[in-house]
Amino acid sequence: MPELPEVEIISTGLNSFLTGRIVSSVQTGYPGCIHGWSRDLQTGLSQRVVQGVRRRAKLAIIDLDQELRLLFHLKMTGKLVFDPEANLGVDKHTHLIINFTDRTRLLFRDLRKFGYCLLLYEHELKHWPFYQKLGPEPLQMNHEEFNQRLKTRKAGVKSVLLNQEAIAGIGNIYADEALHLAKIHPAQSCADIPEEQLSRLFQALQEVLEKAITLGGATFSDYVNSLGKPGSFQEQFMVYGRRGHSCRACQTALTSQKVSGRTSVFCPCCQPFG
DNA sequence: GATGTTGTTGAGTC
DNA sequence: TGACTCAACAACAT
């Protein structure tokens, strides 16, 4: 489940692998992976030069010349794998192959087919509703800005963290981990959280995200980086996927609860409601 | 065959 | 109208 740290690592890796390469052709294994807003990939990408790869929210963005942008949302099981020798197997889960003129290639794989890609010009990207509505990057804001955006909201803090219009890039794993570190119950309404605690949450969020990036992301189920290698942050999970296990801080058994439809694991002792 | 998994969206409610 | 909640959806493994 690639969230901000995983997409950051993938993008950084692809930036060094792909920059300067020229697209020769595109093979589509599953046309359904191309978003409705996208231009035609074959005609649009041919002979385009990669100028860099970056991340915005959970999107990996490949910048090409002529202000073209190729965006990928990996959702749950999507992967972008650089294939320098063009010898990786192309299975039924490989939905897109981007061939470069030097015979290297980029594979887009997605077991569950929830992920998508789209090709747009910069001026079109700015009008794509999903992109337009994205909130600020958590690693590029300060705690005053964070508090400002959260303190008036009445919804549970977990659902606000997952709301991409409030803050971009946070998913279930890092929301649960940050809430545990900040000792805040996931269902607590933001409006009821003292500013001092909100600042602690912001600190925790930055800490968790930066640590995950340092450790190469989390490999839960099947995330791999752009060379197909796993990360190790999952070994540091305090709560995610640990329901019933004991809290690493106080030994109390972790419980779970659905908060705005998402399974949330937390420690009833460290993160009391109220 | 039922269940669990997730991010996003659209419908519906307050 | 805005903020919010909930259900549905995508497709697969177990």
Side-chain angles (χ1 to χ4, degrees):
Chain A
M1 289 151 265
E3 300 180 23
L4 187 156
E6 290 78 22
V7 181
E8 178 72 25
I9 291 156
I10 291 166
S11 302
T12 305
L14 290 180
N15 184 59
S16 62
F17 297 139
L18 302 185
T19 301
R21 297 192 200 275
I22 303 163
V23 178
S24 56
S25 64
V26 179
Q27 291 159 259
T28 310
Y30 172 64
C33 76
I34 300 164
H35 193 280
W37 273 65
S38 182
R39 292 185 161 266
D40 182 77
L41 296 188
Q42 187 64 50
T43 56
L45 279 176
S46 183
Q47 300 309 308
R48 294 283 62 79
V49 184
V50 176
Q51 297 189 320
V53 185
R54 62 199 159 94
R55 178 195 60 78
R56 168 74 172 116
K58 298 171 193 169
L59 294 164
I61 304 178
I62 301 180
D63 291 311
L64 302 136
D65 62 326
Q66 299 186 356
E67 299 221 303
L68 270 168
R69 315 284 179 239
L70 179 61
L71 291 82
F72 288 90
H73 197 309
L74 304 176
K75 291 286 184 88
M76 288 177 73
T77 55
K79 294 169 206 164
L80 284 169
V81 182
F82 182 57
D83 183 13
E85 309 287 333
N87 59 3
L88 293 179
V90 173
D91 56 17
K92 63 172 179 174
H93 302 309
T94 304
H95 306 316
L96 200 68
I97 302 172
I98 297 174
N99 297 297
F100 298 101
T101 53
D102 60 2
R103 297 190 169 277
T104 61
R105 58 188 192 175
L106 176 69
L107 311 182
F108 174 47
R109 290 172 166 166
D110 189 1
L111 190 76
R112 300 205 184 155
K113 297 184 177 172
F114 293 174
Y116 59 80
C117 72
L118 69 162
L119 178 69
L120 293 171
Y121 283 101
E122 175 67 27
H123 68 271
E124 296 171 318
L125 175 58
K126 287 178 178 147
H127 293 104
W128 180 32
F130 175 72
Y131 190 85
Q132 196 181 34
K133 289 186 291 185
L134 286 174
E137 289 287 331
L139 293 178
Q140 283 164 21
M141 61 198 301
N142 55 40
H143 74 97
E144 283 98 353
E145 197 184 344
F146 180 83
N147 289 9
Q148 206 60 41
R149 292 188 78 89
L150 267 71
K151 69 180 184 187
T152 54
R153 292 181 178 261
K154 294 187 176 69
V157 59
K158 169 78 177 274
S159 63
V160 175
L161 288 177
L162 294 179
N163 181 350
Q164 302 299 296
E165 296 175 30
I167 307 158
I170 313 298
N172 211 17
I173 295 175
Y174 297 100
D176 275 9
E177 292 298 317
L179 286 168
H180 180 266
L181 193 56
K183 302 186 191 300
I184 298 171
H185 191 287
Q188 197 78 51
S189 163
C190 285
D192 294 340
I193 301 174
E195 286 223 29
E196 177 197 314
Q197 260 191 68
L198 276 182
S199 298
R200 203 166 68 202
L201 175 59
F202 176 66
Q203 181 84 32
L205 198 53
Q206 295 219 326
E207 218 170 284
V208 163
L209 293 173
E210 276 165 5
K211 191 172 175 190
I213 293 171
T214 305
L215 293 177
T219 297
F220 202 79
S221 73
D222 58 2
Y223 157 81
V224 285
N225 69 15
S226 47
L227 274 179
K229 296 281 184 290
S232 68
F233 187 71
Q234 69 282 359
E235 293 157 20
Q236 317 262 328
F237 284 167
M238 298 293 276
V239 284
Y240 184 82
R242 298 190 68 243
R243 180 180 64 183
H245 291 73
S246 61
C247 172
R248 295 195 204 279
C250 77
Q251 317 311 320
T252 304
L254 300 175
T255 56
S256 77
Q257 180 181 321
K258 291 266 182 189
V259 178
S260 57
R262 288 275 92 81
T263 302
S264 306
V265 185
F266 62 99
C267 173
C269 177
C270 294
Q271 301 163 265
F273 186 86

